[in-house]
Amino acid sequence: MENHTLNGMDRVDPNLRDEMLAELFLDQMVSDFKRSKILEEIDQSLKDKDKEAFLRLTKELKSVS
């Protein structure tokens, strides 16, 4: 499926394609960063035995794509 999508990208203007790929890459990097930070905060909430923070953060983690 992924190859099919990439093959379709061959028909897109090269500049637009590069812009789209860069945007996808940046979106993924931001998402990964947010996820990493939330996981660190979850670890800290477990160390602190802070159930309220843990529940809030796990809910927030589910919303990060």
Side-chain angles (χ1 to χ4, degrees):
M1 182 173 172
E2 204 170 295
N3 280 340
H4 186 284
T5 303
L6 291 177
N7 289 339
M9 293 283 290
D10 290 340
R11 292 180 236 139
V12 176
D13 177 83
N15 292 329
L16 180 59
R17 182 187 65 223
D18 291 346
E19 183 178 329
M20 290 168 60
L21 290 173
E23 188 173 337
L24 287 170
F25 175 77
L26 288 174
D27 287 346
Q28 185 63 49
M29 294 305 297
V30 168
S31 179
D32 289 349
F33 178 77
K34 285 180 183 177
R35 181 176 169 81
S36 174
K37 285 305 200 183
I38 294 169
L39 287 171
E40 287 176 14
E41 291 180 39
I42 288 173
D43 286 345
Q44 189 61 48
S45 72
L46 289 170
K47 289 177 187 173
D48 296 342
K49 298 179 181 176
D50 185 346
K51 184 177 179 179
E52 185 177 306
F54 175 80
L55 294 173
R56 177 180 49 80
L57 290 163
T58 53
K59 184 176 180 180
E60 188 177 335
L61 182 62
K62 291 177 187 177
S63 71
V64 174
S65 51

